[in-house]
Amino acid sequence: MTHFGFPYRIDANGRTAGAPHEAHIREMIEQLLFTRRGERVNRPDFGAGVNDLVFSENAPELAAAAQHMVMAALQQWLSGAIEVRGVETAAEDSRLAITVRYRPLDEAREQVVTVERVF
């Protein structure tokens, strides 16, 4: 099954660009992590709140807060698509890296996605 690609775009054939299932799940995780709460009109609670930490000092406490926020958001919004196996965060200088270990519910193998944000 092919899903809409993110960000939305038109492919070379003039149709909506698609994304394979694995890429679609990764894109959903990235959307959740970097959507600000209140940004979506019909789903104001959607988002992980990571961007709310932008003016916080990048320290181990920031990484711990981000870890809890991400885990809660993933379980709330994507539990119908993935089983979260773990969330790891690392704060270094002005960079926050978030690694999500998950298993798509329709697959047996675990996958990992790492996203980074510079504050």
Side-chain angles (χ1 to χ4, degrees):
M1 176 179 196
T2 301
H3 304 276
F4 291 139
F6 178 80
Y8 183 83
R9 60 197 174 281
I10 304 298
D11 67 13
N13 297 323
R15 292 184 240 147
T16 298
H21 185 65
E22 184 175 320
H24 175 69
I25 290 176
R26 289 175 183 264
E27 291 168 353
M28 287 193 311
I29 292 171
E30 288 181 31
Q31 287 179 56
L32 178 62
L33 294 183
F34 297 119
T35 298
R36 290 180 183 348
R37 289 192 187 116
E39 186 175 332
R40 291 195 174 180
V41 176
N42 293 325
R43 292 202 182 261
D45 295 334
F46 183 83
V50 173
N51 288 326
D52 296 340
L53 303 173
V54 72
F55 293 111
S56 301
E57 180 181 344
N58 195 4
E61 295 80 16
L62 172 73
Q67 182 177 17
H68 291 290
M69 293 166 74
V70 168
M71 179 67 87
L74 288 168
Q75 290 174 342
Q76 178 182 0
W77 293 104
L78 298 181
S79 62
I82 64 172
E83 173 192 343
V84 180
R85 297 271 176 100
V87 174
E88 299 169 13
T89 56
E92 184 178 310
D93 297 327
S94 63
R95 183 182 64 85
L96 175 65
I98 302 170
T99 301
V100 178
R101 289 183 303 106
Y102 66 95
R103 181 189 65 82
L105 295 181
D106 58 351
E107 294 181 21
R109 67 184 172 101
E110 185 175 281
Q111 299 184 25
V112 177
V113 62
T114 300
V115 294
E116 294 184 5
R117 186 64 127 201
V118 177
F119 292 105

